[in-house]
Amino acid sequence: MRGSRKYRHVIETPEPGKWELAGYEETLPISEKSSPMTRELDKADPSQIVQLLRDCDAEIFQEEDATIANYKRLYSDSILNTVANIAKRAQEIIEDPDHGLIVLSGCGTSGRLALLLASSFNRLLRGLHKTPCYTYIIAGGDRCVVTAADAPEDNPNLGAQELEKVCEGKKKVVFIGISCSLSAPYIAGQLDFCMKNLDVFLPVLVGYNPVTMARNERIDGWHSTFRQVAERMQNLHDTQRAFVLNPAVGPEGVCGSSRMKGGSATKILLETLFLVAHKASSNVEVTEKCLLEILRTYERAHKVTYSHSKKIAALLKQAGTSLQKKGHLYILGWGTLGIIGIMDAVECVSSFHADWRDVRGFINGGYSTIENKDGDLSYLGSEFGVSHEDFVRSVLPSLSETDTVLFMFTLDDDLGEVEKLMELVKEKTTNIHAISHATAGQYLPNSTKNLIPNIMGITWPILFLEYEGAFIQKFQRELSCKWILNTVTSGSYVLKGQIYRNFMVDFRVSNSKHFQRAVSVLQRLTGHPPARCTEVLLQSIHGEPVLTEQTKNAEVSKHVQVASCKDKVLPVAIVSLLRNCSVQESRTRLDSSTTIRAAIEASLSVPGRKRGAESAETAGRSR
């Protein structure tokens, strides 16, 4: 195991990968590259899927390699220095909350994490009898905490307006804009607003691409690209009037799925940053050693979590079987673990074009436990029912043996309540699993063990780190559940045939980023040039055998508006290009195929298929 500064790695991190070499998929940002590690993910069994995604997650903690050193990594000196500098500025807000505010903002996964982090650190402050000073913004508002809506991500003006409203009357604001791929127009608008008001705002951009790889396509109806905003941020970085916090953590295990590694890295980075800021407000000096001590606790969380790989694989296999049989996966969580469950469930809708009923998360106490600004949203419809009571009322009556139910709790939760719900579920299905978190010295009661045999009992060492230690352990448990759920749901959709190689091939084309990603996937899987890929994608979206001039000349936002309401947009385009057939014929073939992956495989073996596509396929498979 390679050493690192004052500590050795807690986990075995992979050697530098092919993606780090100059020239590997050089036209793509890191967040959109395909991971060489998982290139045959679609052929893996449950145990292999867990191993592959475990190793992919470990890349978060990989250090710079002296022989490559193309990218800054989590443990790079420049990244640690940036974290320390931002922490000092956050410390000023913590010490003067009446005039200051720390705002975390993001779209989709990043916005849900913003809510979780703001809630956690406000709770930490209240426990110390201090004034809360954190708040969150999520593109699309609170309804997007529990449901999927990607379109608001494309509106930079809305982002700026909502930030201005949240910060009204504040004299100092630390603004954390999270965009894993450095691409979200909503965040660009907020960062731009901050840079126009540097007397009040300290803007911080968090993402996982170099600034040179930030998205450079024109934003509809706006004056700048994301890259131009990021470059302005970078120019202010040296004078500490703005910060760019962008370590490379490697391509996602499922290509482009930033809910996975991007989300985990965001959680790790920002929790470390704020924990250090809180220590500093208690007269503890912010040092590299202090940062490393906290970061290593997350490495330990990785080691502890994946020591249960066999049980994770068993859960993955069961959940995958349920989804293949048109059943469901229900995740019943307590406390913040319930938020992690809801987050993972919602993300399946965009990533795999899943129906919102396929994977659902529920939390004890509902919205009062989530602590979102708008409170109870269940009046908006069934999709917004997220409490355990909602589960008992609307799901339990129809629960069957084709469904899988996962319980997530700690031994500090009300186990009587856990057992009562387990007994109700057990009357309907035997496919029950549980993840229970304990601290060393705590033991699961026999009454709980006897109710459910499939329990993944995760025990954490006691952390002697004063008051913050309890929060570090809470953060470890949350991250552990996030890693497990990301692996289980992504793996389940692999088994269901929704992944080809390591590409999402049926994601919802619901914003401009997804539109560009769809074109990129088409290029890589078929070998056709961008113009042809775009043409067939538009044919698939609009159902036009020959595109009208009006369609050709329309803004991307218009195409996205139509595409977001249609199914199989990307698969239809893939098969159409591979078979050189109409989108209507392609849709018919897909409808008669057992899985999307099977339809793509069959199309690849068609005699006379375009030579360029064959070359692209061979290149993608080569080791």
Side-chain angles (χ1 to χ4, degrees):
M1 187 182 293
R2 286 169 290 156
S4 63
R5 291 186 177 83
K6 302 172 181 63
Y7 302 91
R8 296 179 71 84
H9 273 294
V10 178
I11 59 170
E12 289 282 358
T13 60
E15 294 297 320
K18 181 181 176 182
W19 67 268
E20 294 181 83
L21 299 174
Y24 180 76
E25 296 186 345
E26 61 185 349
T27 62
L28 297 168
I30 296 170
S31 60
E32 297 293 325
K33 294 181 191 293
S34 58
S35 172
M37 194 181 296
T38 60
R39 61 179 158 255
E40 295 194 348
L41 185 68
D42 60 338
K43 294 183 175 180
D45 62 28
S47 294
Q48 292 167 334
I49 291 171
V50 174
Q51 291 168 12
L52 289 169
L53 296 183
R54 173 200 66 194
D55 292 345
C56 211
D57 285 331
E59 284 187 317
I60 293 172
F61 305 102
Q62 189 180 66
E63 293 190 356
E64 287 178 355
D65 187 279
T67 61
I68 297 178
N70 283 334
Y71 305 116
K72 295 179 292 185
R73 305 303 297 259
L74 181 67
Y75 288 119
S76 297
D77 288 335
S78 61
I79 295 296
L80 294 176
N81 288 336
T82 299
V83 171
N85 286 329
I86 300 168
K88 291 170 186 174
R89 304 294 285 276
Q91 174 194 352
E92 295 172 9
I93 306 294
I94 293 166
E95 292 173 351
D96 185 18
D98 293 336
H99 300 103
L101 193 64
I102 298 171
V103 181
L104 297 97
S105 180
C107 311
T109 301
S110 298
R112 295 176 195 110
L113 284 168
L115 161 68
L116 178 63
L117 268 64
S119 174
S120 293
F121 282 98
N122 280 337
R123 196 176 302 121
L124 188 155
L125 284 168
R126 285 194 293 267
L128 293 170
H129 306 292
K130 294 183 179 180
T131 304
C133 62
Y134 293 85
T135 192
Y136 69 92
I137 302 173
I138 179 170
D142 271 8
R143 62 186 296 135
C144 293
V145 172
V146 298
T147 61
D150 301 305
E153 178 176 326
D154 282 339
N155 195 331
N157 295 314
L158 179 63
Q161 290 165 14
E162 293 185 346
L163 175 60
E164 184 176 17
K165 183 179 178 181
V166 164
C167 300
E168 189 175 1
K170 295 297 181 181
K171 294 180 180 178
K172 288 292 177 185
V173 176
V174 173
F175 172 74
I176 313 282
I178 310 163
S179 179
C180 293
S181 54
L182 270 59
S183 64
Y186 185 88
I187 299 300
Q190 293 175 326
L191 294 169
D192 178 71
F193 175 79
C194 290
M195 286 188 283
K196 290 174 179 175
N197 297 277
L198 289 172
D199 55 324
V200 173
F201 290 89
L202 174 74
V204 178
L205 169 58
V206 176
Y208 305 100
N209 287 319
V211 167
T212 55
M213 292 183 176
R215 185 176 169 192
N216 207 31
E217 286 84 14
R218 185 178 68 84
I219 296 171
D220 287 357
W222 206 51
H223 58 77
S224 180
T225 68
F226 196 106
R227 185 181 300 176
Q228 289 167 338
V229 171
E231 286 170 346
R232 285 164 56 205
M233 292 277 295
Q234 190 71 65
N235 290 336
L236 292 168
H237 185 102
D238 292 338
T239 57
Q240 297 192 13
R241 299 180 73 197
F243 292 101
V244 180
L245 188 55
N246 59 335
V249 295
E252 297 287 354
V254 177
C255 185
S257 185
S258 56
R259 78 189 187 107
M260 300 175 74
K261 229 175 354 184
S264 300
T266 297
K267 192 174 188 305
I268 292 165
L269 260 181
L270 293 183
E271 287 171 355
T272 300
L273 190 159
F274 293 133
L275 281 166
V276 168
H278 282 266
K279 282 178 173 291
S281 68
S282 302
N283 297 316
V284 176
E285 185 183 358
V286 177
T287 63
E288 183 183 277
K289 180 181 179 183
C290 181
L291 286 168
L292 288 172
E293 282 179 346
I294 296 172
L295 288 171
R296 295 303 185 196
T297 66
Y298 292 103
E299 278 198 51
R300 280 191 283 276
H302 182 280
K303 184 174 183 178
V304 169
T305 299
Y306 285 105
S307 68
H308 298 272
S309 287
K310 286 185 179 178
K311 290 192 174 182
I312 298 172
L315 173 57
L316 191 166
K317 183 177 181 181
Q318 179 58 62
T321 300
S322 288
L323 294 182
Q324 286 173 288
K325 292 181 177 179
K326 301 190 185 304
H328 312 84
L329 170 61
Y330 298 113
I331 306 162
L332 304 176
W334 273 257
T336 53
L337 301 186
I339 298 176
I340 297 294
I342 291 169
M343 187 186 308
D344 193 273
V346 173
E347 289 152 2
C348 292
V349 175
S350 296
S351 298
F352 309 110
H353 219 145
D355 186 279
W356 64 270
R357 301 171 190 83
D358 290 353
V359 182
R360 291 189 68 183
F362 298 89
I363 184 169
N364 71 311
Y367 289 95
S368 63
T369 304
I370 295 174
E371 296 184 341
N372 59 304
K373 293 175 184 176
D374 293 346
D376 193 340
L377 301 176
S378 57
Y379 67 91
L380 292 173
S382 300
E383 193 172 352
F384 294 85
V386 297
S387 70
H388 290 174
E389 289 76 14
D390 290 318
F391 172 81
V392 171
R393 182 172 58 253
S394 65
V395 174
L396 191 64
S398 59
L399 199 66
S400 74
E401 282 293 340
T402 58
D403 301 320
T404 298
V405 180
L406 172 64
F407 290 78
M408 300 195 308
F409 56 91
T410 77
L411 297 200
D412 296 318
D413 292 314
D414 185 342
L415 296 185
E417 187 182 303
V418 174
E419 291 177 8
K420 183 178 178 181
L421 197 48
M422 282 180 172
E423 287 171 347
L424 291 174
V425 170
K426 202 169 182 180
E427 293 174 6
K428 297 284 189 173
T429 180
T430 57
N431 301 324
I432 309 173
H433 289 251
I435 301 170
S436 71
H437 292 275
T439 304
Q442 289 183 314
Y443 300 97
L444 194 67
N446 287 331
S447 56
T448 311
K449 285 182 185 177
N450 294 337
L451 272 174
I452 174 170
N454 303 312
I455 295 181
M456 196 184 309
I458 303 178
T459 302
W460 300 91
I462 297 171
L463 295 175
F464 299 100
L465 295 170
E466 300 176 351
Y467 179 70
E468 289 89 351
F471 280 83
I472 292 175
Q473 191 157 90
K474 180 176 93 76
F475 297 153
Q476 287 180 313
R477 292 168 172 179
E478 291 166 358
L479 184 59
S480 177
C481 282
K482 181 184 182 298
W483 273 326
I484 292 168
L485 291 180
N486 286 171
T487 299
V488 167
T489 53
S490 297
S492 294
Y493 282 101
V494 169
L495 299 180
K496 195 181 178 185
Q498 295 287 100
I499 304 283
Y500 176 69
R501 296 212 303 256
N502 58 4
F503 292 97
M504 296 181 286
V505 287
D506 192 23
F507 55 85
R508 194 166 67 171
V509 182
S510 50
N511 59 31
S512 58
K513 178 179 73 175
H514 293 162
F515 184 91
Q516 298 299 337
R517 179 180 293 158
V519 173
S520 174
V521 170
L522 286 169
Q523 286 179 253
R524 288 190 269 179
L525 295 188
T526 72
H528 284 278
R532 176 63 178 152
C533 292
T534 302
E535 178 187 16
V536 174
L537 181 63
L538 293 181
Q539 289 174 339
S540 178
I541 290 171
H542 297 281
E544 297 175 3
V546 179
L547 296 176
T548 64
E549 288 302 312
Q550 183 179 4
T551 299
K552 289 179 183 177
N553 297 327
E555 297 277 13
V556 170
S557 58
K558 300 296 182 185
H559 304 314
V560 166
Q561 191 175 358
V562 176
S564 61
C565 302
K566 290 198 168 184
D567 67 336
K568 297 182 181 176
V569 166
L570 180 56
V572 165
I574 293 171
V575 172
S576 176
L577 281 168
L578 289 175
R579 288 184 173 270
N580 194 26
C581 68
S582 69
V583 292
Q584 288 80 5
E585 180 186 336
S586 172
R587 186 170 288 277
T588 300
R589 288 184 178 278
L590 278 160
D591 289 343
S592 62
S593 179
T594 53
T595 66
I596 288 171
R597 181 185 177 278
I600 293 172
E601 283 280 9
S603 300
L604 284 164
S605 60
V606 173
R609 182 169 54 82
K610 183 179 180 296
R611 184 173 177 81
E614 185 176 338
S615 300
E617 167 68 6
T618 303
R621 290 285 192 186
S622 64
R623 291 183 179 272

